[in-house]
Amino acid sequence: MCKSKVSIRQIAKICGVSPSTVSRVLNHSGSISVETQEKIYAAAKELNYFPAQPNQRNMIAVIQPRIGIPFLSDICHHIETYFFKKGYTVIFTSSNLSSDDMQKNANAEHKTIEALCQLGIRGAVVLSMTPDNPELPFTPVPVVYGYMEDNGSTPSATYSVSSDQIIGGQLAAQELIRKGCIRPIVLLNSHYSPKNSGRYDGFFRTFEEYGHPIPERNIIHADGIRGNVTESHDIVQYLIAKKIKFDSIYAGSDWRAYGALTALLEAGIKVPEDMKVIGFDGSAIATLSPVPITSIMLNPHSIAQQLCGMLDSLIDGREILEKHITTPVQLFTGKTT
């Protein structure tokens, strides 16, 4: 549904100030009180008003926390394809900050976007690890968030897309419980924790609901230094050597699941007869592994399409009915459960 373009006069009327005051605030010129600035920024953001930039070109920026994450790469590819067909150039940049670092430096993304605005971008997609990142202040161009994690909380960002990872964790737990597993080992990704990650929260809660709460000793925190595959392989190898009793492995990613699977097979443990393994993300390794790995499949194409649709609408001044969209997940049943 379309709506008429918002004008500076409308914002001025809402805020009880003159149009020239609104113009000075949005163009960062003149000395205006902080209270008035915040009022104008809030109104502009609520009305999806973005002032025209003098050097604006048909460019879209994609900001990601780290380069080289396969799931993010898939999303970036779909974003680039979508906007290329619409005549845009897409530029990619990395904030080079972990999720924890982003919490400590709330201005990092905003500074990056401000710098990119000097290049003439029309809008930006920010790919972020968790929805706990502080909301960006008013920006001169539209910004939408794509969250790689979903902890069930309402994202602070005005416009955002995530996948339903709590349901994913539930599906993973139900699959193992269905197969008679009650003592899983959980391999946490280095940058996730049950507190900020739906994929673990949904898993733990489901086991608890079925009367099999997972003890702390069965939750393995990885350091992420040696790589997912090597690290998970060595952890499972150690657990086997220690004769720790477990009947299944739930890994926070498919690459961790693959590392665990290789350790089990090297030890002569039959999968899935004697041990079940399930991963998360639905990445290529899950289906291309010599033993296809059961996994919770996310949909990077769907996430990218929703992000592109949101940003496209904001740039054109069209109304967006849903400010946060959660995309569904599904269980891929491989040969490891």
Side-chain angles (χ1 to χ4, degrees):
M1 184 166 65
C2 294
K3 64 179 181 180
S4 59
K5 293 282 187 179
V6 178
S7 69
I8 282 181
R9 289 185 179 279
Q10 288 174 276
I11 297 173
K13 185 177 181 180
I14 291 171
C15 297
V17 298
S18 67
S20 61
T21 298
V22 174
S23 179
R24 289 201 302 273
V25 169
L26 296 181
N27 288 288
H28 305 287
S29 62
S31 179
I32 309 295
S33 70
V34 173
E35 182 182 357
T36 300
Q37 288 183 50
E38 290 179 348
K39 187 187 297 184
I40 291 171
Y41 287 149
K45 196 167 188 179
E46 181 64 28
L47 295 171
N48 298 336
Y49 178 82
F50 302 99
Q53 302 300 301
N55 63 337
Q56 216 162 46
R57 306 179 186 121
N58 272 7
M59 293 196 302
I60 300 297
V62 178
I63 304 169
Q64 52 188 315
R66 290 191 300 279
I67 294 173
I69 301 175
F71 184 69
L72 294 182
S73 297
D74 287 343
I75 292 176
C76 288
H77 170 71
H78 291 303
I79 292 173
E80 184 175 32
T81 301
Y82 178 97
F83 280 107
F84 178 78
K85 291 178 179 178
K86 288 183 168 287
Y88 287 91
T89 298
V90 181
I91 58 177
F92 298 93
T93 183
S94 170
S95 63
N96 292 318
L97 295 172
S98 68
S99 298
D100 291 338
D101 290 334
M102 291 304 292
Q103 295 297 321
K104 298 171 185 175
N105 189 357
N107 292 322
E109 287 172 352
H110 189 235
K111 290 177 180 176
T112 301
I113 291 171
E114 283 188 331
L116 290 167
C117 284
Q118 300 302 312
L119 298 177
I121 64 170
R122 296 285 303 280
V125 178
V126 177
L127 300 177
S128 186
M129 297 310 296
T130 74
D132 296 326
N133 292 341
E135 183 177 1
L136 284 176
F138 177 80
T139 55
V141 298
V143 178
V144 297
Y145 270 89
Y147 291 119
M148 303 305 98
E149 262 305 323
D150 185 358
N151 59 12
S153 64
T154 302
S156 60
T158 305
Y159 300 98
S160 57
V161 179
S162 64
S163 55
D164 199 340
Q165 300 199 12
I166 290 179
I167 293 298
Q170 292 175 3
L171 292 173
Q174 290 167 358
E175 170 71 3
L176 292 181
I177 292 169
R178 249 193 324 266
K179 299 300 175 68
C181 301
I182 59 173
R183 293 193 304 274
I185 289 292
V186 180
L187 301 178
L188 297 180
N189 290 337
S190 58
H191 50 285
Y192 292 149
S193 71
K195 181 180 178 181
N196 71 5
S197 174
R199 66 180 66 190
Y200 298 118
D201 185 42
F203 186 83
F204 292 142
R205 274 195 279 167
T206 302
F207 263 87
E208 191 166 350
E209 289 169 2
Y210 276 83
H212 306 295
I214 299 172
E216 188 65 32
R217 64 178 178 274
N218 284 33
I219 304 172
I220 311 298
H221 293 262
D223 54 32
I225 295 174
R226 292 170 297 141
N228 291 341
V229 175
T230 301
E231 196 169 62
S232 296
H233 170 277
D234 293 349
I235 287 171
V236 173
Q237 190 178 63
Y238 175 78
L239 295 175
I240 294 170
K242 288 283 290 183
K243 301 188 185 302
I244 304 297
K245 291 186 177 181
F246 58 100
D247 55 21
S248 54
I249 296 172
Y250 175 55
S253 73
D254 293 327
W255 285 101
R256 288 201 177 278
Y258 179 74
L261 175 63
T262 57
L264 293 171
L265 297 178
E266 287 172 6
I269 296 174
K270 294 181 180 179
V271 180
E273 293 85 352
D274 300 327
M275 185 73 63
K276 310 289 189 293
V277 178
I278 186 165
F280 208 101
D281 291 337
S283 57
I285 190 63
T287 54
L288 298 178
S289 168
V291 181
I293 300 168
T294 297
S295 177
I296 301 302
M297 300 195 75
L298 310 182
N299 190 332
H301 177 71
S302 175
I303 292 173
Q305 287 295 108
Q306 297 290 357
L307 287 169
C308 291
M310 276 186 176
L311 187 56
D312 208 4
S313 294
L314 288 171
I315 291 173
D316 289 345
R318 299 193 301 270
E319 185 175 8
I320 297 176
L321 299 179
E322 291 185 79
K323 290 189 173 182
H324 176 67
I325 296 174
T326 303
T327 61
V329 300
Q330 65 184 55
L331 176 73
F332 165 73
T333 306
K335 302 295 185 181
T336 59
T337 59

